[in-house]
Amino acid sequence: MTSHSPVVITDRALLCDRGFIDGVWLAASKTFAVHNPASGVELAQVADFGPTETTAAVAAAAHAQPAWAARTAKDRSAILRRWFELIVAAQDDLAAIMTAEQGKPLAEARGEVLFGAAFIEWFGEEAKRTYGEVIPSPVRGRQLLALRQPVGVVAAITPWNFPNAMITRKAAPALAAGCTFIVKPAPETPLSALALAVLAERAGVPLGVFNVIPTTRASEVGSVLTEHPLVRKFSFTGSTAVGKLLMAQCASTVKRVSLELGGNAPFLVFDDADLDAAVVGALASKFRNAGQTCVCANRFLVQSSVVDSFTRKLAVAVAALTVGDGMTPGVVQGPLISERAVQKVERLVADATAQGARVVCGGARHALGGTFYAPTVLAGVTPAMTIAREEIFGPVVTIIPFADDADAIAMANDTPFGLAAYAYTRDLARAWRVAEALEYGMVGINEGIISTELAPFGGIKESGIGREGARQGIDEYLEIKYVAMGGLGG
Ligand code: ADP
């Protein structure tokens, strides 16, 4: 790494500009620039890998896999524990790298580093609990067993919005299960991925078990990862459009797939809700990462009788949010990731206001310029508007009134997506009815932040397949093998 990189950290070795294959740091004939979205400053020129390096990574991962799987679970667990501890110890540096390349406020970046590390801790422990079954036999002299074995080589493609945790929550269960792993991080945020590889190496993760392919050639590298016969499982987090394409590519070799795709999260506020608590939850759900998460509330469905008071309270809180460079203390909203992201938000807001939505606060780029967008509240949004149908991925609250519970549920479910949903109510029976009726993989009742390594994260409908985290998360990386053992006498 060039010594004049503008990222200020203690352990300079964490800043890498090469890819990592088979335990070797490799340069490439071409490089690509990584920029700080807050300032536009170039942070690094990173190796731009292609299909040749990707194929080499698959071969390395395939070669390393049997020996990795043959180690005891306790042994793999100990290595994962070391990786976890090294990440926790390096949290300040990892957070600084993340804020520099991704833009989120430093405190949020540190939160993600610890959240990401928690998956390594959790799955390191779960490695020891991948129990099989002994099935009562229908005949004497025979034993029926169900073993759980690693799938094999796992390939992953991850997004820029969580440059660390979207990798660890795939890599940790994969490695715990005895799989080997190749990740193609997003071209906006390869530095966080490469820093994880440095710490994996220090933790004693063996050669070829964890590989990182930095690249701008997403579709070429993606073709190798989804079509190579030695890759047995593909895991993706990103947009629904790309996820569908990659799922289709995986069909040619019938790979196992896990997909964590887009959402259109409803945030329901009922007339009996604690409105102040709902405002706190709304801020947490909507403005984390400047609205750039797949579980960010996208539509605020508010019962008509409380819509004015909720909107007023929320707008006061939103207008008080401090926007700026994520490195500046006190900043709670950084820049959006790119000019394209800002243009999308502008297009959605312009379309909504042209159709009658009212700007309560914000509604335009922030005075800081660049890719900063003002925290925004739009009232009088209707379900038919594009802003209520597409994932905004920006700091914009859309308020849509509803009449009664049936109306709210119908509106909430009227989308092809089904990732996260939120509801605020103090009525226990209503909370239960609503939680059951929402067609979503995850529901937060009186909670705006629900992600944890302990619970199964994932979507239904076009939001995805499979679960990440929790006891269930490791199942994605295990096959079940039935063994009928006869000739046992008796
Ligand atoms: P976003 O719009 O949030 O960047 P994407 O789905 O485009 O979401 O990106 C998520 C990840 O998918 C990134 O790592 C990106 O490089 C990768 N990606 C995008 N297009 C393709 C493709 N055609 N094939 C493989 N990977 C892709």
Side-chain angles (χ1 to χ4, degrees), residues 229-251:
L230 289 178
V231 175
R232 305 298 293 276
K233 155 94 195 185
F234 178 71
S235 181
F236 175 74
T237 300
S239 63
T240 298
V242 173
K244 287 178 180 176
L245 179 81
L246 297 174
M247 186 181 180
Q249 288 174 199
C250 284

Side-chain angles (χ1 to χ4, degrees), residues 60-83 123-124 127 150 152-154 171-181 200 203-210:
H63 181 73
Q65 200 267 327
W68 178 243
R71 292 195 180 213
T72 62
K74 188 166 174 151
D75 194 4
R76 289 197 301 274
S77 178
I79 292 174
L80 288 168
R81 179 84 207 171
R82 275 203 295 279
W83 195 15
F123 284 112
V153 175
V154 174
L175 267 54
C179 299
T180 51
F181 192 82
V205 172
L207 308 185
V209 171
F210 182 78

